Amino acid sequence: MNQDNFRTITPYVPGIQPGFADMIKLNTNENPYPPSPKVIEASEKFNAADLRLYPSVDVGPLRDALAAYHGFDRGCVFVGVGSDDVLATIFQACFNSGRALLFPEITYSFYEVWARLYNIKAEKIPLRSDFTIDADAYIGVENGGIVIANPNAPTSIAMSGSDIERIIVNNPDNVVVIDEAYVDFGGESVLEFVRKYDNLIVVRTFSKSRSLAGARIGYCVACPELISVIEAVRNSINSYTNNRPSIEMGVASVGDEKYFRDTIAKVIKTRERLTGELKELGFNVLPSSANFLFAEPPAMLSAAEVYEGLAEKHIYVRHFKIKGIDNFLRITVGTDEQIDTMLSEVRKMLKK
Ligand SMILES: *Cc1c(COP(=O)(O)O)cnc(C)c1O
């Protein structure tokens, strides 16, 4: 067949999902704890006979629950199939000026994939040498939009709300997207700024802090004008996105604030312990505000060696073969027990 029929594109590559029963999976930033018991109850109560019906056209009950939770009108909320779906829809809806979209050189690598897929010109802005994002590099630069993950991935480092506000204020004619996938674990959210700035979109996910990666729920909050633009694109592709069981589980999750807070606190506590232990072993650990660490092993071992050594024991962390960060490992904060097993393997490698 004629190859000009096809689009060639290099896709995003997620962390591997090996099927070993005994594996310790610290490579895709999933939550090590199950979702709220209320979510499990909602899934058990779900009547599969209802699957003959299409789900609500605008993810109604979950959209309403999120609007009430954050204190916004429902017209300010858009729900999608994971934040990847929400972000991909925003890319198609909001970055059509022909001017370059700005995002950090080291960040969630899906941004570059969507820019290529949707033919959006992109300009990658270098991080400072300490891996922080320099807000000034996004000010006074001609652009067609800005996307920043806060906390950033895979660096785990958060940016201050005031730095983000400066970027929003100084780019009034373009959409600024803040991807808050990890913000519940420590970053400063700019969700409240949506009330003040009509060029801001804040994107959130249920995949990390709500332990619902498998249910595929993400959303964004923005002014109603922007939400309508995003909805129009979604409704030009697929009007029924989130499925019925997942909508009910999402509503149940939003309804259990105590479990949500308790789970986050457990992850943060383990993160702090893991940071301390890795530093004691000589690792350079970047200051994390997320549910993962970005860490460079001590000189006697390379990140690739630690990655391989752990993988042999069916312990999976993430190693990016990308210039500038190829001696770092991204390690998801697991349970205390998982972390102890990983640390004991690392100690063996270091002969400590
Ligand atoms: C995990 C992640 C997402 C996507 O998560 P979904 O599972 O699609 O909601 C988006 N942005 C960043 C920075 C992430 O790490």
Side-chain angles (χ1 to χ4, degrees):
M1 209 185 300
N2 192 334
Q3 292 300 308
D4 350 332
N5 287 312
F6 307 120
R7 177 72 187 271
T8 46
I9 186 149
T10 313
Y12 172 75
V13 185
I16 53 169
Q17 306 278 9
F20 305 115
D22 66 338
M23 73 179 163
I24 295 182
K25 197 167 172 302
L26 307 173
N27 70 339
T28 50
N29 297 344
E30 288 144 330
N31 200 306
Y33 301 107
S36 152
K38 291 194 176 165
V39 170
I40 295 174
E41 196 184 306
S43 76
E44 285 165 359
K45 277 209 302 225
F46 180 75
N47 180 4
D50 288 345
L51 288 173
R52 72 185 182 81
L53 300 168
Y54 279 109
S56 146
V57 74
D58 62 354
V59 203
L62 184 50
R63 183 184 189 178
D64 290 337
L66 285 167
Y69 180 74
H70 291 300
F72 279 85
D73 288 340
R74 76 191 311 271
C76 297
V77 179
F78 171 87
V79 184
V81 185
S83 54
D84 286 339
D85 177 46
V86 175
L87 286 160
T89 312
I90 292 169
F91 270 58
Q92 291 173 85
C94 300
F95 302 137
N96 294 293
S97 68
R99 296 187 300 276
L101 174 68
L102 310 183
F103 50 83
E105 185 169 13
I106 294 169
T107 191
Y108 189 40
S109 49
F110 229 139
Y111 303 153
E112 191 176 8
V113 173
W114 289 314
R116 258 190 272 122
L117 179 63
Y118 301 128
N119 296 310
I120 298 163
K121 212 163 91 185
E123 188 182 329
K124 296 193 259 180
I125 311 285
L127 298 181
R128 294 197 190 97
S129 60
D130 63 357
F131 295 101
T132 56
I133 292 172
D134 178 7
D136 292 318
Y138 297 80
I139 293 171
V141 184
E142 197 197 50
N143 68 79
I146 294 170
V147 184
I148 289 176
N150 187 50
N152 195 16
T155 65
S156 78
I157 300 173
M159 203 177 173
S160 73
S162 58
D163 270 353
I164 295 175
E165 188 170 21
R166 281 201 296 126
I167 294 174
I168 300 165
V169 171
N170 286 290
N171 289 280
D173 296 330
N174 297 313
V175 169
V176 177
V177 175
I178 304 298
D179 179 352
E180 295 192 337
Y182 299 104
V183 82
D184 297 316
F185 299 102
E188 210 180 315
S189 174
V190 293
L191 194 76
E192 287 301 313
F193 291 166
V194 168
R195 300 183 203 280
K196 273 203 280 188
Y197 304 114
D198 64 4
N199 61 326
L200 169 64
I201 305 177
V202 175
V203 181
R204 294 276 187 96
T205 178
F206 281 45
S207 297
K208 280 89 186 213
S209 54
R210 292 189 179 276
S211 311
L212 281 169
R216 311 304 302 126
I217 302 169
Y219 63 103
C220 68
V221 181
C223 72
E225 292 71 27
L226 278 179
I227 295 294
S228 310
V229 171
I230 299 164
E231 271 191 311
V233 169
R234 191 264 306 278
N235 292 336
S236 306
I237 301 170
N238 177 6
S239 26
Y240 301 106
T241 48
N242 301 68
N243 64 65
R244 282 178 172 271
S246 140
I247 292 171
E248 293 194 11
M249 290 186 270
V251 170
S253 171
V254 175
D256 196 349
E257 184 68 10
K258 183 174 186 311
Y259 184 87
F260 175 62
R261 293 288 153 209
D262 290 351
T263 306
I264 289 168
K266 279 200 281 189
V267 171
I268 292 175
K269 192 163 172 234
T270 308
R271 175 185 78 203
E272 296 310 305
R273 181 168 78 82
L274 177 59
T275 303
E277 303 227 18
L278 286 173
K279 281 185 176 171
E280 237 166 71
L281 291 173
F283 278 72
N284 167 30
V285 185
L286 301 190
S288 174
S289 296
N291 68 339
F292 61 91
L293 297 182
F294 204 49
E296 186 179 23
M300 64 174 289
L301 278 177
S302 70
E305 286 168 324
V306 177
Y307 173 85
E308 291 301 335
L310 289 175
E312 267 171 37
K313 302 289 174 186
H314 291 182
I315 300 168
Y316 293 91
V317 297
R318 192 94 200 256
H319 177 229
F320 296 95
K321 294 186 182 102
I322 295 173
K323 199 173 143 265
I325 56 167
D326 57 356
N327 201 36
F328 278 80
L329 296 169
R330 193 193 68 187
I331 307 168
T332 305
V333 177
T335 60
D336 282 303
E337 195 192 347
Q338 291 175 321
I339 290 307
D340 286 335
T341 308
M342 183 204 58
L343 284 168
S344 87
E345 292 302 330
V346 172
R347 282 195 193 94
K348 280 186 220 159
M349 280 181 239
L350 289 165
K351 305 191 172 52
K352 280 198 178 171

